[in-house]
């Protein structure tokens, strides 16, 4: 495959999507909320995206996926303990809780629960949490330190009428879907950005995309089967599948990522005897800023991939942690004006979810790359049938995402920023990552020996994919031996880069050599120095002089 190119990112509108008139806009959120059911302030209250999304008039319903769910998933029953939470709706209503003069609270007589294992918040050693967050559009660390907004969460904010979410509720057990308070924001955000073109889509919160991916494998795959992914893929996706007895077949890539034509060829010519397994029907893909290659599928490529999936009845796991890190082409202007919300959303390449008229896409989203990975909160979007099965799995494994994380995210996203502020933050991130990408590309142009190294600027994400002409090595040894020599030479020079072979979907070493460089965490000065050190290591391995020629 060729290294990925930065592409002139053009948003597109699918013709079927454009026929629906009930698309949610940011300025339409208050009116939507006014019509939505009131959020219950109870512990472990029921929540569903259906409470918060548009009815989807005129859209088709998703297909059924009974033929793709495995026996483990089909056999799961609702959690009896989680289900019992529906009886916790106190007839008096939480709005009737009284704050007495002595600081205690009086709850109305109604249903008194002795049935659940919910501990009393009296014994939660947290009375209040204060968090200082950026005030849009002033997002830098220095600006936040000087003019940030302090948001507070108290133990009994709901009872005191200060908020719809508090420590009393968030820090107790919750539903596998996540809290209604955060799920509402997530559902609205998904509709604003993607506007899924079928009726019965839903979201449910997760404890991050890695966990969600493992659950998806457990729902869909059976030992001895294959799944598909890009030929170079997120290493954890392969490592998660392996203990389940599921093998991965790599689909070839070019500068725009996975090749639908090769996927069609693989599926059309599949020999189950030779492959010792049935034809795969599950695809794992990272369409934007793909890990590790940085490749980004164009709108046309995504449409072609979706048509191929329809042709072969493929179910797609769309893993999109880098979706909002779509960048301007390189090299670009030295300064880029801040985009409006509308122009920013239009500039994003349409997601596979936004093209999905069948409900054949499970989209995995995460706050890990746009807020903080330690939050361990993400969400999936899929058809009602698939989300229901996912929730049944979550109920007896992860239980629910961290209540502390949900409360912090709610305070930041819903109360402090709103959808407008969150989009401002994402626009800011896009500019910041574009600057970082430009920095590493400039360093590569300055320090790496182009006699044996080539690359194309990434269009999105946080990874720079470097091709090495390993056949120019003076000793002409094997690809993997030379790769290991380069890796350790770089370590000796004081820089860590990732071997491309670590990301192979299939165990063979492939025909080309790559290294992955990450520009997300190190400072611009460190990126420049690390690239210089890598260049010195490469020249040493290949016997090259500074400025060209052999040493």
């Amino acid at each position: 495959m060729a290294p990925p190119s930065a592409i002139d990112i053009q948003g597109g509108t699918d013709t079927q999507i454009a026929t629906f008139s009930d698309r949610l806009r940011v300025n339409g959120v208050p009116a939507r909320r006014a019509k939505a059911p009131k959020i219950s302030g109870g512990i472990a209250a029921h929540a569903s995206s259906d409470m918060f999304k548009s009815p989807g008039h005129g859209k088709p319903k998703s297909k059924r996926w009974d033929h793709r769910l495995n026996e483990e998933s089909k056999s799961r029953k609702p959690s009896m303990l989680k289900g019992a939470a529906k009886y916790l709706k106190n007839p008096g209503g939480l709005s009737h809780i009284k704050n007495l003069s002595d600081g205690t609270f009086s709850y109305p007589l109604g249903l008194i629960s002795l049935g659940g294992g919910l501990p009393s918040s009296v014994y939660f050693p947290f009375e209040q949490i204060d968090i200082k967050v950026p005030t849009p559009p002033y997002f830098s660390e220095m600006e936040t330190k000087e003019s940030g907004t302090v948001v507070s969460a108290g133990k009994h904010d709901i009872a005191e009428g200060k908020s719809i979410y508090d420590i009393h509720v968030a820090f107790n057990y919750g539903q596998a879907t996540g809290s209604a308070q955060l799920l509402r924001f997530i559902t609205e955000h998904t509709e604003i950005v993607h506007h899924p073109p079928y009726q019965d889509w839903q979201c449910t919160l997760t404890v991050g995309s890695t966990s969600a991916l493992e659950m998806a494998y457990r729902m869909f795959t059976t030992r001895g089967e294959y799944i598909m992914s890009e030929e170079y893929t997120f290493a954890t996706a392969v490592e998660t599948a392996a203990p389940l007895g599921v093998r991965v077949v790599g689909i070839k890539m070019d500068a725009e990522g996975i090749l639908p034509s090769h996927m069609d060829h693989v599926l059309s010519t599949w020999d189950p005897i030779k492959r010792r397994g049935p034809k795969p029907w599950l695809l794992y893909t990272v369409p934007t800023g793909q890990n590790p290659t940085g490749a980004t599928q164009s709108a046309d490529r995504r449409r072609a991939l979706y048509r191929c999936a329809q042709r072969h009845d493929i179910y797609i796991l769309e893993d999109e942690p880098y979706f909002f890190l779509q960048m301007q082409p390189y090299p670009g202007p030295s300064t880029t004006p801040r985009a409006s919300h509308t122009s920013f959303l239009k500039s994003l390449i349409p997601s596979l979810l936004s093209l999905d008229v069948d409900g054949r896409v499970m989209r995995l989203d995460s706050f890990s790359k746009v807020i903080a990975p330690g939050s361990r909160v993400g969400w999936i979007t899929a058809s009602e049938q698939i989300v229901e099965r996912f929730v049944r799995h979550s109920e007896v494994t992860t239980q629910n995402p961290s209540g502390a994380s949900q409360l912090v995210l709610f305070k930041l996203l819903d109360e402090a920023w709103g959808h407008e502020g969150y989009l401002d933050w994402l626009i800011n991130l896009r500019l910041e990552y574009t600057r970082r990408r430009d920095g590493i590309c400039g360093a590569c142009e300055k320090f790496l020996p182009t006699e044996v190294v080539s690359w194309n600027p990434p269009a999105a994400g946080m990874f720079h994919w470097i091709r090495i002409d390993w056949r120019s090595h003076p000793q002409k040894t094997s690809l993997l031996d030379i790769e290991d020599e380069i890796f350790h030479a770089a370590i000796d020079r004081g820089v860590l880069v990732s071997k491309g072979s670590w990301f192979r979907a299939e165990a063979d070493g492939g025909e080309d050599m790559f290294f992955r460089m990450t520009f997300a965490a190190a400072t611009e000065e460190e990126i420049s120095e690390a690239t210089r050190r890598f260049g010195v290591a490469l020249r040493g391995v290949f016997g090259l002089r500074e400025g060209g020629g052999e040493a």
Side-chain angles (χ1 to χ4, degrees):
M1 63 163 284
S5 298
I7 56 178
D8 192 0
I9 297 176
Q10 298 291 328
T13 304
D14 186 83
T15 54
Q16 181 159 8
I17 297 174
T19 63
F20 305 128
S21 60
D22 61 348
R23 181 164 192 164
L24 182 63
R25 310 287 180 181
V26 171
N27 59 10
V29 169
R32 170 71 61 79
R33 290 187 175 186
K35 296 178 182 178
K38 185 178 179 180
I39 290 179
S40 170
I43 296 171
H46 168 75
S48 166
S49 287
D50 288 341
M51 300 163 60
F52 312 120
K53 68 185 184 72
S54 66
H57 297 305
K59 296 180 181 180
K61 284 205 166 187
S62 66
K63 296 181 179 296
R64 296 284 301 179
W65 300 101
D66 305 80
H67 63 301
R68 295 310 192 198
L69 292 167
N70 61 24
E71 290 305 312
E72 177 184 347
S73 183
K74 289 178 181 178
S75 66
R76 292 192 182 276
K77 305 297 182 184
S79 165
M80 290 182 286
L81 293 175
K82 294 286 187 184
K86 66 184 179 182
Y87 298 110
L88 293 176
K89 293 182 179 179
N90 194 298
L94 288 175
S95 62
H96 291 80
I97 297 173
K98 297 180 180 179
N99 185 355
L100 302 181
S101 59
D102 63 358
T104 62
F105 291 85
S106 173
Y107 290 81
L109 289 177
L111 180 70
I112 300 175
S113 174
L114 301 180
L118 305 176
S120 171
S121 65
V122 170
Y123 304 114
F124 297 171
F126 308 98
E127 184 61 32
Q128 182 171 307
I129 299 174
D130 295 327
I131 308 161
K132 195 171 189 179
V133 301
T135 303
Y138 307 106
F139 292 117
S140 73
E141 282 192 334
M142 183 60 69
E143 288 170 325
T144 302
K145 187 175 182 178
E146 294 176 352
S147 62
T149 301
V150 176
V151 292
S152 298
K155 184 177 283 189
H156 297 291
D157 284 353
I158 297 174
E160 296 173 349
K162 296 179 180 178
S163 177
I164 62 171
Y165 204 26
D166 61 13
I167 293 172
H168 167 73
V169 170
F171 282 30
N172 219 310
Y173 288 111
Q175 293 291 339
T177 55
S179 68
Q181 292 86 344
L182 187 57
L183 182 62
R184 179 179 67 176
F185 186 93
I186 293 301
T187 302
E188 294 165 347
H189 172 77
T190 299
E191 189 166 356
I192 289 168
V193 176
H194 305 288
H195 192 51
Y198 64 96
Q199 282 186 34
D200 51 329
W201 62 273
Q202 292 188 353
C203 300
T204 186
L205 299 192
T206 70
V207 297
S209 291
T210 302
S211 170
L213 178 62
E214 193 270 345
M215 288 189 187
Y217 286 169
R218 293 277 299 274
M219 288 170 58
F220 290 116
T221 65
T222 301
R223 185 170 293 273
E225 291 183 341
Y226 281 90
I227 62 172
M228 296 175 290
S229 77
E230 291 91 346
E231 61 180 322
Y232 290 91
T233 190
F234 179 39
T236 301
V238 178
E239 293 165 349
T240 302
L244 301 176
V246 175
R247 293 163 287 179
V248 182
V249 56
I251 304 300
K252 291 181 180 179
M253 307 173 68
D254 66 5
E256 291 186 13
I258 194 168
L259 286 165
S261 58
H262 185 245
M263 187 169 86
D264 181 70
H265 172 74
V266 167
L267 295 169
S268 299
T269 60
W270 187 268
D271 184 343
I273 297 176
K274 182 178 179 180
R275 288 279 193 170
R276 293 184 296 163
K279 184 170 76 171
W281 53 264
L282 187 67
L283 170 67
Y284 170 80
T285 182
V286 182
T288 307
Q290 197 256 357
N291 185 2
T293 70
T296 296
Q297 298 170 19
S298 67
D300 286 342
R301 176 63 57 86
R302 297 180 198 217
R303 292 187 183 98
L305 182 63
Y306 189 81
R307 286 194 295 269
C308 183
Q310 289 180 309
R311 188 178 308 120
H312 293 279
D313 197 22
I314 302 301
Y315 195 89
I316 302 172
L317 303 177
E318 178 187 25
D319 190 4
E320 278 283 43
Y322 315 106
F323 181 74
F324 291 106
L325 304 183
Q326 298 182 33
M327 304 169 189
Q328 303 295 333
Y330 177 87
S334 56
T335 58
T336 304
R338 185 178 295 274
S340 68
H341 298 156
T342 300
S343 62
F344 171 63
L345 292 175
K346 285 184 176 179
S347 75
L348 300 173
I349 300 175
S351 62
L352 290 170
L353 174 64
S354 73
L355 307 175
D356 183 20
V357 294
D358 299 334
R360 68 172 64 250
V361 174
M362 177 193 286
R363 180 181 171 89
L364 288 71
D365 275 290
S366 172
F367 288 118
S368 291
K369 303 304 188 293
V370 295
I371 298 291
S375 70
R376 303 319 304 148
V377 176
W379 70 97
I380 65 161
T381 307
S383 67
E384 180 180 19
Q385 179 194 18
I386 297 303
V387 168
E388 187 273 337
R389 290 290 87 195
F390 189 96
V391 169
R392 297 288 83 81
H393 192 149
S394 300
E395 286 175 338
V396 294
T397 53
T398 57
Q399 289 268 349
N400 56 270
S402 162
S405 292
Q406 290 188 73
L407 182 58
V408 168
L409 289 168
F410 170 79
K411 288 289 177 178
L412 171 69
L413 298 173
D414 197 289
E415 290 194 348
W417 285 357
H419 291 284
E420 297 91 342
Y422 186 42
L423 289 177
D424 285 339
W425 170 255
L426 295 173
I427 292 168
N428 176 72
L429 275 186
R430 179 185 196 174
L431 296 176
E432 288 293 314
Y433 273 88
T434 297
R435 181 174 55 81
R436 284 176 166 274
R437 185 276 314 271
D438 292 351
I440 199 169
C441 288
C444 288
E445 292 168 357
K446 183 177 181 180
F447 294 121
L448 297 189
T450 54
E451 304 96 310
V452 295
V453 179
S454 61
W455 65 88
N456 283 314
M462 52 181 61
F463 304 115
H464 193 28
W465 193 235
I466 305 293
R467 182 201 291 272
I468 309 294
D469 180 12
W470 63 276
R471 294 176 179 84
S472 296
H473 190 276
Q475 301 302 320
K476 307 292 184 183
T477 54
S478 72
L479 182 155
L480 293 179
D481 286 343
I482 295 172
E483 181 188 53
D484 195 57
E485 182 183 359
I486 294 171
F487 176 78
H488 286 286
I491 292 290
D492 291 342
R493 291 289 182 177
V495 59
L496 176 65
V497 290
S498 297
K499 296 181 180 181
S501 63
W502 292 345
F503 304 97
R504 289 284 299 174
E506 301 185 60
D508 66 276
E511 298 179 355
D512 297 312
M513 181 186 296
F514 298 94
F515 280 85
R516 191 193 75 174
M517 303 172 71
T518 306
F519 51 90
T523 66
E524 291 181 63
E525 293 77 14
E526 289 170 337
I527 289 171
S528 179
E529 174 59 18
T531 305
R532 186 194 68 80
R533 295 177 184 181
F534 188 45
V536 172
L538 287 169
R539 286 189 175 88
V541 169
F542 285 90
L544 300 173
R545 291 193 182 94
E546 182 75 27
E550 295 183 359

